[in-house]
Amino acid sequence: MPTSPGPRDADAALDILFHPFATGALQWPREGGALFLRAREGWPLHARPLPGLIAEQSYKPAFDALQRSGIDVHGEDVDGTFPLVLVLPPRQRDEARALFARAVAQAGANGTVVACMHNDEGAKTGQAELARLTGPVNVLSKQHCRVFWTGARVLDSALLEQWRALDAPRLVADGTLHSRPGVFAWDRIDVASALLLRHLPTDLAGEGADLGAGIGVLAMDVLARCKGVRSIDLYDAERRALELARRNLAAQANVGFHWHDVTQGVSAHYDFIVMNPPFHAQSRADRPDLGRRFIEVAAQALRARGRLVMVANRHLPYEAVLGGHFAQVRMLADASGFKVVEAVRA
């Protein structure tokens, strides 16, 4: 059953994205519907009828919120053209450019692309980028955000094709990993994961899981170095990352892939869990509650004497929750601003 929308001030960019429709500067299409890329749930989606709206969101918590509210939401690429394409662009430049190019392509010859960004997240740059593709854009500013939309098209077709390719999966890390712009640490192995890899116990065995697996870096190393491992399940909230993990672990037969919000718990049980838990969601603000919840979920999912091996920022206060859920906790490494911890269930 649909849930009620959230508070009016929860998401300024989402709010201002719909401001041109509220003022009459733009009209919602009478037919043909609208595509909303990187959609987020919030009161503007329910303030007035939006016939034919199709949302797309690859981040599972946001996908789930849209689905609960009754929005027609898809987790992967929606095909077709629409008279209106709405966009909440990401921060990463190549990913944003590719998304702008896709939005313009899916708006067809006569459709309108409408985007909104917070000023602190590159709104001025985003406006300029869309204008590079389509010619001059219209713009309104409110609540420290800019909403901008296409007018008469002066399309740069060559640039559009160039930008559409920017988000394509590619080999990184000396050709050893498939990745793409926008996923966490997309073009390298991040410092925290590298530290965990250097101190990963090689005697992990049985059935395991990687919570917040990203593109599969930790799971690949576990399978390569821990000969007693029979299987490993990868959980990640970002579908784009999980699809890359499928590529990176395609040669492995004993791997499961789960597009899942780990904070909601996992139903399976494991002999070991490895993880580099997130410490922010879709914002830059620290979210130590996410890491604490990952630890709680890991403790619930581990069998008796099950082992958790994790890495985290040194300053994040996880010791209390580790001590409250595990019989043994020991530091394996402390370097470069990160700590590697092993914890054992009673």
Side-chain angles (χ1 to χ4, degrees):
M1 188 172 184
T3 59
S4 58
R8 291 180 62 94
D9 60 352
D11 190 336
L14 176 65
D15 182 358
I16 305 309
L17 179 69
F18 285 87
H19 185 59
F21 301 98
T23 63
L26 286 173
Q27 299 297 317
W28 194 263
R30 293 187 176 181
E31 56 184 39
L35 175 62
F36 189 179
L37 300 175
R38 304 297 167 87
R40 298 197 290 263
E41 165 58 8
W43 73 270
L45 298 183
H46 310 276
R48 61 184 63 83
L50 302 175
L53 177 66
I54 296 176
E56 183 183 296
Q57 175 56 259
S58 61
Y59 183 59
K60 194 63 164 62
F63 174 94
D64 289 344
L66 287 159
Q67 191 172 63
R68 285 193 300 268
S69 74
I71 299 295
D72 181 7
V73 58
H74 300 252
E76 55 190 350
D77 293 352
V78 176
D79 294 326
T81 57
F82 299 81
L84 174 66
V85 180
L86 305 164
V87 190
L88 290 173
R91 295 189 188 94
Q92 208 282 336
R93 188 186 68 173
D94 286 350
E95 183 189 11
R97 285 177 169 179
L99 197 66
F100 279 136
R102 182 183 161 203
V104 170
Q106 291 199 253
N110 300 307
T112 301
V113 175
V114 186
C116 188
M117 302 175 74
H118 198 280
N119 291 340
D120 292 341
E121 296 180 358
K124 187 174 182 180
T125 298
Q127 176 188 333
E129 298 278 55
L130 184 58
R132 287 183 64 187
L133 280 179
T134 66
V137 298
N138 304 284
V139 59
L140 289 173
S141 296
K142 190 177 180 182
Q143 291 180 226
H144 306 290
C145 296
R146 289 189 185 205
V147 56
F148 42 96
W149 64 95
T150 54
R153 297 281 187 87
V154 187
L155 185 63
D156 188 331
S157 299
L159 187 63
L160 184 141
E161 291 306 313
Q162 177 185 332
W163 281 10
R164 290 188 76 174
L166 290 176
D167 190 32
R170 66 199 71 177
L171 287 170
V172 300
D174 297 325
T176 59
L177 294 169
H178 290 92
S179 190
R180 68 194 300 184
V183 300
F184 174 67
W186 80 270
D187 58 352
R188 66 196 184 281
I189 297 177
D190 66 285
V191 174
S193 293
L195 182 66
L196 177 52
L197 293 177
R198 290 198 299 272
H199 297 275
L200 183 75
T202 58
D203 61 344
L204 297 176
E207 298 171 327
D210 181 353
L211 305 185
I215 65 173
V217 172
L218 297 181
M220 290 173 65
D221 207 63
V222 167
L223 291 171
R225 295 171 55 195
C226 304
K227 303 308 180 185
V229 171
R230 294 193 301 273
S231 66
I232 189 165
D233 284 340
L234 281 68
Y235 293 83
D236 202 272
E238 179 49 67
R239 190 176 189 132
R240 299 168 75 249
L242 199 64
E243 291 307 311
L244 293 162
R246 289 182 187 274
R247 292 191 182 210
N248 289 325
L249 289 141
Q252 301 287 345
N254 53 347
V255 182
F257 300 92
H258 306 271
W259 184 42
H260 182 70
D261 178 3
V262 170
T263 66
Q264 300 304 304
V266 299
S267 58
H269 290 88
Y270 299 100
D271 300 303
F272 71 89
I273 288 173
V274 296
M275 65 184 190
N276 178 4
F279 57 93
H280 58 79
Q282 289 189 306
S283 70
R284 295 179 180 176
D286 276 5
R287 288 282 308 277
D289 59 299
L290 288 176
R292 289 193 292 266
R293 180 58 184 154
F294 266 61
I295 293 167
E296 293 170 351
V297 170
Q300 293 159 6
L302 282 168
R303 299 182 176 116
R305 296 186 179 275
R307 297 162 69 186
L308 167 65
V309 184
M310 65 172 288
V311 65
N313 290 59
R314 180 188 293 145
H315 73 276
L316 292 176
Y318 293 153
E319 284 70 21
V321 68
L322 283 165
H325 287 84
F326 291 89
Q328 303 172 37
V329 180
R330 67 185 183 114
M331 186 87 69
L332 300 182
D334 185 348
S336 305
F338 296 94
K339 53 192 174 188
V340 177
V341 176
E342 181 182 50
V344 182
R345 281 291 310 273

